[in-house]
Amino acid sequence: MSVPNVGVLGVGQTPYVNRRTDVTFPELVREGAQLALADAGVTIDDVDAVVFPLAPDALTGTGNGERWCIEALGAAGKPFMRVNNGGATGMSAIIAAWTHVASGEFDVVLVAGAERVSESGSAQSVLNKMWDVGYERPIPLNTITMLALSAVRYMHLHGSDETDMARVTVKNRRHAALNPLAHLRDEVTIEDVLASRTLAWPIKLGDACPSSTGAAGAVLVSERYARANGLDPAWIRGVGQNTETFWMGDRVGPKALQDHGDADALATAFKRAYGQAGLTDPTTQIDVAEIYAPFSSVELHVIEAAGLCGLGESPTRLAKGEFALGAPGPVVNPSGGVLCSNPIAVTGVARLAEATLQVQGRAGAHQVPGARTAVASAIGGDHQFYSTLVLSSDLEDIA
Amino acid sequence: MSTTTPTTPAGPKFYEQTWDLSYKHALGETTSRFLGALTEGKILGRRCPVCERVIVPARSFCDRDHCATTDWVEVGTTGVIEMFTVVYEPFKNLPAPPYALAYATLEGADTALVGYVRGLDLSDQKTAVAALAVGTPVVVKFSDSPTGTAADYWFEPAAGAN
Amino acid sequence: MPPGTDPPAPRPRVAVLAIRREATAREEDRSLEEMIFEVAHDTLADAGLSQATVGGVVLSGNDQSDGRVISCMTSAGPAGGVDSDVTMIASSGEHALAYGWLRLRSGQGDTVLVIGWGKPSEGVNPDYAELVSAEPYVLRAVGMNDTIAAALQASRWTDPATAGDTATVSWPLTADDLPRRGDVVVAAVLAVEGTFSPGRELAWVRGAGWSTENYELGARDVGAQTALDQALAHLARGADSAPAPSTWDSVEIAAPSEPAAARAAGKLGLPTHATVNGSGSLHERLAPAHIAGLDRLLAAAGSVGPGTGTAAGVGFNGFAGQGATVMVFGAPGTKEGVA
Ligand SMILES: [Zn+2]
C-alpha cells in the first residue's frame, strides 16, 4: 500500500524554564494540549485518540503518570496510549500518532505531554539506574558521561577539538536568543564555552543542555479530514526509526556495526524517512533541520547522519559559518535546539513543533526564509533509539 | 453549596517524596560466572557462533545476531582505551569527583569493557586527559577484597604507557 | 469540525502468526533480559522470522516493576530490536498489541513482534512499586495500590449485609479473587495478509477498541466499568466490522478482580455457549498487572480454531480498570476471517 499522508494541523509549546511551581504535572500537560488544540483550531471533542509521551516515570515521580493526566486533557472516553523510548519519546510519540492516523482508524490524534525534571532531586543518579544490573550499575555512568565517551571518540576519529564543539553552542545560543520560548537565551562566545566548568571531559557546562520544564503538543490529522474541512496543515512525508545495540562497548573496534563516535544507526533511520518522503539529496532539498542534540558534540555527528555533510566534515562546515541562520543551505536548529531547551519527555514533540512552524513560515524571528522542507530527529536510551521524520509545507514532490 | 474564596495562602507548596524501591535482580548464570571469575583475577567473554565476536563482558546471547553465545573465552588483562571521560562535576548520590571512566578492548576481546581508570592524578585536566588518550594501553587490576560485583576490577595505565 | 467524508483506503488484514508465553512464579536462574531473549527468539522462529527479517518490534514493560529506569534500553536488544524500529508502549501491554496492529495497518512493514514482560519476583516489595503509581498529593498518602483499588471497585457491587466474612485481603476480596503476579514474558508475531503462506496463521485480528476513563476514583463510577463500554464502542466503529460480543464463542478477561471480570463478562451480552476465561481464573493464570491484558488478548487469539470461530480478549489497566482494551480474533482459514 502507498504511504498515507498525515498532516500536522497545529502545534503548541509553553516557554521552557527551570521550574514551574504554579501548576501540577497534569496542569502543565494541559497547557501544552490547549496550545496545540487552539493552534489547530479544534477542541478536545474533535480528537479521536491521544498519544502521550512520557519518558522515565522516576523523573516526574509518579509511576505511569500518563494515567493521572486524563482529566486535565479532557481525554476520558478516548483511545489513549503512552510511548516511552527514553529521550526519543517525544518523536516516537509523534510517529505513534502518525501510525494511528495512517492506519485509517483515526482522523484527529492529539499528542500532548510535559516534563518537570526539576522536581527530581537527583536526576543523574536516577538515570544511573538505566544501566545493566550486572555489569554497569557499579560504574557511575549517566546521560552526561555516556555522551562524553562519544565526544571523545568523535574527536579521535575526526581530529576535531573542543573549539569545534563550542561553535555549535555559539550558533545555537544565537538562534535561541531569537526564540522567545527557549530556555537558555543568552548569547555566548567560544571563549565563554571553553572557560565554562568541565562536567565530564570534554563536555563542559557550555556544551550541555539545561534541564527544562515545559509542555508541548501537536494535532495530527488524516488527509481526508483535512480535505473535508478545507484545512492546510503541514505534511509528514516520511518517518523512520532505528535502534542500535545497548552495549556502548560493542560500538568500537573493527567488528563494530556502528561507532559510538558517529551516529550510523541514526543515519539509517534518516534514510528510511527520506526514502518514504522521496527525498534524494538532503544537502539541497532540506531547508531546516531540527535535530536532537543535548550536547554540542552530538550535533556534530547528527548533522552528518542527516546527510547534510560528509562524515567528519561538520566541524569545518560550522567553522565556515554554515548551518546557521543567515547562511545559505540547510539551517540546523534555528530554535536553538535541545542544547538550549530540553524538556525530556516532549523534546521530540518540540522538534516537530519547530519544524512545523518553519515550513509554514510561522517561526517569527528565527524563521528560515522560504523554508518548505524540514527534517526532525530525536535520540533515546544510550544513543540507541532513533526517530526521524520529514515535514513539508505541501504535498508537492520534494525537489 | 456556595461559592467561596479560600482564605489559605496561594503561594506554592512542595511535597517531598522519596521512592524507596528495592530490588534483588537475578543476574543469570553467565553474568554470575563473569563476576565470580573476577575473584580469580580473570576476565571472561563469550563467543558468538555467527559473528564470531568474543563478547566482553560475557553475555549469554549476541544482540546483533539474536542467538545464544556458545563458548567461554578467557581474555587478557591488558588492553587499550577506546574511549574515556574524566568527571569533574558532582552528581547527587554518585561518587565524589574527579574520577575517570574508560572503555578498553582487552587482548582477545572484540568488544570493550567499561571500568574506572585509577592510578592517575586527575587534578590537572590537561595532563589527565593526555594520559588517557584513545589507544593508551591499560591493565586490569582486581580487588583484594572482592564483593562479587563489577566493582571488583578497574583499569590502570600500563607501566610506561605515557 | 465534521469528520472526513471519503472513506479511508482499505487497510490490509492482519493475522497472528505465533504466540509464546513463559510463566513461572519465580525465575531466579535467568535475568529478565535472558527471559526476553528466549521468548522473542522462539516466537520469531515460530513465525518463520528472525531479528534480521522482522519488520519492527513493540515492547511493553514497566520501569518500576523492572527496576530499570528506562527498561526498554536493556530489553530492546534481547527482544530482537537491534537494527530495527522499536517502540515501547508503556501505558499497558494490551496497548502494545493494539499498536502492533496499527503499525501493520498503516503500512509500516509486513510483520511486527509484540512482546511484554514482568519479573516482579525481583522487586523486594511490588505492592510498594504499585503505590508510586498513585499521584503524590492524595492517593499516595492513603496507600493506594492495585489491590485496594480493586477492593474499592468491588465494594460497589457487594452488599455488606450478605457478603459474609470471608474477605482475607481487602474487603470484600479474598486472595482467590485477585490476580496473581508471576515472572512472565508473552509475545506474538503479527503479519499482513499475503506476506505468509495461507494457513500458517493462528488467528485473524478482526478488530480492536480501547479507551481510558478519568484517573481519580471519585471522578468516575468505578462500578460502571465505563472504559469497557467505550472500548466496545470504539471496536464497533472501527474500519472493519468487527464481530459483536453476541457472536463471540470465547472471551479471555484480565480484570482487577474476579468480581470485576464477572461483571465485565456480564455486560458483554455473550451467547450462552460462550466460554469465559477458559485459560484459567485470574488467580490461576500468573500475570503481572501491566501485561495481564496482553496475556489474555493473546490467550484469546490462541483459542480460536475448531469450535471457536471468534474469540475476544479484554484487558483493563490502571486503578480499578481506568482503561480497557478489547481485541477480537477470528479462526484461521481465509473464509472465516473475511471481514
Ligand atoms: Zn553475533
Side-chain angles (χ1 to χ4, degrees):
Chain A
M1 62 185 270
S2 63
V3 180
N5 292 312
V6 175
V8 183
L9 188 58
V11 296
Q13 301 176 80
T14 65
Y16 301 112
V17 296
N18 279 332
R19 55 181 56 80
R20 290 280 303 274
T21 56
D22 58 325
V23 286
T24 62
F25 176 65
E27 287 166 350
L28 185 59
V29 167
R30 181 178 175 81
E31 289 184 13
Q34 294 295 321
L35 288 166
L37 291 167
D39 191 51
V42 298
T43 70
I44 190 70
D45 294 336
D46 296 307
V47 170
D48 299 323
V50 178
V51 178
F52 195 92
L54 182 58
D57 288 342
L59 290 183
T60 25
T62 302
N64 289 100
E66 72 277 8
R67 295 176 185 154
W68 183 24
C69 299
I70 298 291
E71 282 93 328
L73 287 165
K78 295 183 192 294
F80 174 88
M81 62 174 72
R82 168 201 171 186
V83 172
N84 176 5
N85 270 13
T89 293
M91 191 156 294
S92 291
I94 295 291
I95 290 176
W98 178 94
T99 303
H100 275 62
V101 175
S103 75
E105 282 284 308
F106 306 97
D107 281 320
V108 184
V109 177
L110 171 70
V111 176
E115 185 62 65
R116 44 205 279 132
V117 65
S118 58
E119 290 201 345
S120 171
S122 48
Q124 289 303 335
S125 107
V126 167
L127 291 169
N128 174 254
K129 298 288 186 290
M130 52 189 215
W131 305 101
D132 177 74
V133 295
Y135 291 141
E136 297 172 328
R137 296 266 180 103
I139 313 292
L141 289 166
N142 56 37
T143 54
I144 301 173
T145 50
M146 75 186 191
L147 290 169
L149 293 162
S150 169
V152 164
R153 202 114 186 114
Y154 184 90
M155 293 162 84
H156 169 72
L157 291 171
H158 303 300
S160 62
D161 61 21
E162 293 170 79
T163 304
D164 294 318
M165 291 165 56
R167 280 197 190 93
V168 173
T169 303
V170 171
K171 168 182 74 74
N172 287 351
R173 290 288 197 95
R174 185 153 66 77
H175 292 171
L178 303 169
N179 175 6
L181 301 179
H183 188 171
L184 301 181
R185 300 192 62 204
D186 294 332
E187 292 200 42
V188 293
T189 63
I190 289 178
E191 293 69 33
D192 293 336
V193 177
L194 293 176
S196 63
R197 74 175 192 272
T198 302
L199 304 179
W201 192 88
I203 291 176
K204 294 168 290 302
L205 189 64
D207 297 302
C209 63
S211 294
S212 306
T213 290
V219 177
L220 272 57
V221 294
S222 65
E223 185 174 7
R224 68 178 194 141
Y225 182 88
R227 291 200 193 286
N229 292 287
L231 303 169
D232 187 22
W235 295 97
I236 294 176
R237 305 297 297 276
V239 299
Q241 294 203 118
N242 194 27
T243 309
E244 73 181 287
T245 180
F246 160 75
W247 298 93
M248 292 190 287
D250 291 15
R251 302 179 196 156
V252 298
K255 291 191 183 171
L257 285 184
Q258 290 104 359
D259 198 289
H260 191 46
D262 293 321
D264 312 279
L266 171 59
T268 302
F270 275 120
K271 285 195 185 88
R272 287 175 183 160
Y274 293 170
Q276 209 176 84
L279 192 152
T280 51
D281 183 1
T283 60
T284 60
Q285 293 171 336
I286 291 170
D287 303 307
V288 179
E290 274 290 342
I291 56 176
Y292 185 102
F295 298 96
S296 61
S297 51
V298 177
E299 187 166 312
L300 297 174
H301 67 205
V302 177
I303 288 174
E304 295 162 12
L308 302 179
C309 70
L311 205 59
E313 286 178 16
S314 64
T316 42
R317 304 286 288 269
L318 281 157
K320 287 186 203 159
E322 295 184 38
F323 308 126
L325 271 171
V331 177
V332 176
N333 288 332
S335 68
V338 184
L339 204 50
C340 301
S341 314
N342 191 6
I344 302 170
V346 292
T347 297
V349 180
R351 303 280 68 68
L352 172 88
E354 286 294 336
T356 301
L357 296 175
Q358 288 287 347
V359 300
Q360 294 187 321
R362 301 197 284 141
H366 63 288
Q367 177 68 44
V368 175
R372 294 172 56 84
T373 304
V375 62
S377 64
I379 305 177
D382 62 347
H383 226 47
Q384 176 187 13
F385 298 105
Y386 301 104
S387 299
T388 67
L389 57 82
V390 176
L391 198 72
S392 67
S393 52
D394 53 42
L395 288 171
E396 300 291 316
D397 285 346
I398 292 171
Chain B
M1 246 183 348
S2 62
T3 306
T4 173
T5 304
T7 52
T8 49
K13 288 204 183 327
F14 299 91
Y15 186 53
E16 287 197 23
Q17 287 275 283
T18 302
W19 283 14
D20 185 14
L21 300 174
S22 303
Y23 301 89
K24 192 174 172 185
H25 293 300
L27 298 179
E29 185 187 313
T30 305
T31 301
S32 300
R33 280 203 181 179
F34 175 93
L35 298 175
L38 295 176
T39 65
E40 302 164 15
K42 292 178 184 168
I43 300 286
L44 298 183
R46 294 273 294 173
R47 193 189 312 272
C48 169
V50 179
C51 65
E52 298 186 337
R53 287 183 305 165
V54 173
I55 297 171
V56 175
R59 280 162 256 156
S60 61
F61 58 89
C62 170
D63 64 0
R64 178 190 299 183
D65 300 299
H66 213 232
C67 63
T69 53
T70 42
D71 309 311
W72 285 99
V73 179
E74 183 183 340
V75 300
T77 53
T78 60
V80 292
I81 289 179
E82 300 279 1
M83 48 191 175
F84 69 91
T85 184
V86 187
V87 179
Y88 291 94
E89 179 77 0
F91 300 113
K92 202 168 172 185
N93 299 333
L94 292 180
Y99 50 88
L101 304 178
Y103 277 78
T105 302
L106 301 180
E107 197 67 39
D110 290 307
T111 66
L113 178 70
V114 65
Y116 282 103
V117 189
R118 301 205 171 111
L120 275 174
D121 181 4
L122 301 172
S123 53
D124 181 69
Q125 196 178 103
K126 267 203 167 63
T127 322
V129 164
L132 288 161
V134 176
T136 300
V138 291
V139 294
V140 183
K141 296 284 181 181
F142 297 92
S143 171
D144 291 334
S145 44
T147 58
T149 73
D152 290 346
Y153 72 89
W154 62 91
F155 304 125
E156 289 185 7
N162 294 288
Chain C
M1 284 191 219
T5 45
D6 50 323
R11 294 306 197 279
R13 286 209 298 154
V14 172
V16 183
L17 289 195
I19 300 169
R20 283 262 176 174
R21 172 176 188 267
E22 192 182 328
T24 180
R26 196 173 183 87
E27 171 60 60
E28 296 192 334
D29 293 336
R30 288 177 301 160
S31 69
L32 172 62
E33 288 79 10
E34 287 170 338
M35 290 182 75
I36 292 169
F37 163 70
E38 287 174 22
V39 173
H41 179 271
D42 293 350
T43 312
L44 288 168
D46 289 348
L49 295 169
S50 68
Q51 169 184 38
T53 54
V54 72
V57 180
V58 182
L59 310 174
S60 196
N62 180 283
D63 294 352
Q64 288 70 253
S65 167
D66 293 345
R68 289 149 172 88
V69 158
I70 304 175
S71 94
C72 54
M73 286 174 61
T74 45
S75 54
V82 168
D83 256 347
S84 193
D85 177 328
V86 175
T87 303
M88 166 97 145
I89 301 294
S91 40
S92 192
E94 65 262 29
H95 291 161
L97 191 65
Y99 187 66
W101 175 71
L102 289 178
R103 260 185 71 83
L104 297 185
R105 303 268 289 181
S106 73
Q108 294 285 286
D110 295 328
T111 55
V112 64
L113 174 75
V114 177
I115 185 163
W117 62 82
K119 200 160 180 268
S121 72
E122 294 193 1
V124 170
N125 190 346
D127 292 319
Y128 183 78
E130 287 175 8
L131 172 66
V132 300
S133 287
E135 53 76 17
Y137 306 119
V138 178
L139 281 188
R140 205 173 299 170
V142 301
M144 187 60 63
N145 64 19
D146 289 349
T147 302
I148 293 167
L152 289 168
Q153 181 185 44
S155 77
R156 299 278 293 169
W157 310 315
T158 312
D159 179 358
T162 58
D165 55 1
T166 57
T168 54
V169 179
S170 181
W171 191 90
L173 301 176
T174 69
D176 286 346
D177 289 329
L178 287 160
R180 198 145 53 109
R181 297 185 188 105
D183 292 349
V184 180
V185 181
V186 291
V189 170
L190 306 184
V192 168
E193 184 179 26
T195 64
F196 55 89
S197 321
R200 177 151 206 167
E201 71 276 11
L202 299 179
W204 291 101
V205 180
R206 299 291 307 276
W210 62 100
S211 184
T212 302
E213 283 192 80
N214 282 334
Y215 173 83
E216 297 293 344
L217 299 177
R220 55 180 152 120
D221 180 351
V222 292
Q225 297 181 318
T226 310
L228 177 57
D229 298 329
Q230 293 158 346
L232 290 165
H234 175 210
L235 176 77
R237 69 175 182 267
D240 297 343
S241 39
S246 59
T247 68
W248 297 350
D249 300 305
S250 154
V251 62
E252 291 283 341
I253 304 175
S257 67
E258 283 294 347
R263 196 89 182 177
K267 72 157 56 191
L268 291 172
L270 298 167
T272 49
H273 73 271
T275 314
V276 177
N277 281 355
S279 75
S281 71
L282 300 181
H283 198 63
E284 286 163 353
R285 193 173 168 95
L286 302 175
H290 70 279
I291 59 159
L294 173 61
D295 177 49
R296 292 286 173 169
L297 264 52
L298 295 179
S303 74
V304 293
T308 305
T310 306
V314 174
F316 287 97
N317 57 75
F319 290 142
Q322 184 190 357
T325 304
V326 181
M327 281 185 84
V328 186
F329 303 92
T334 47
K335 284 202 183 97
E336 286 163 298
V338 169

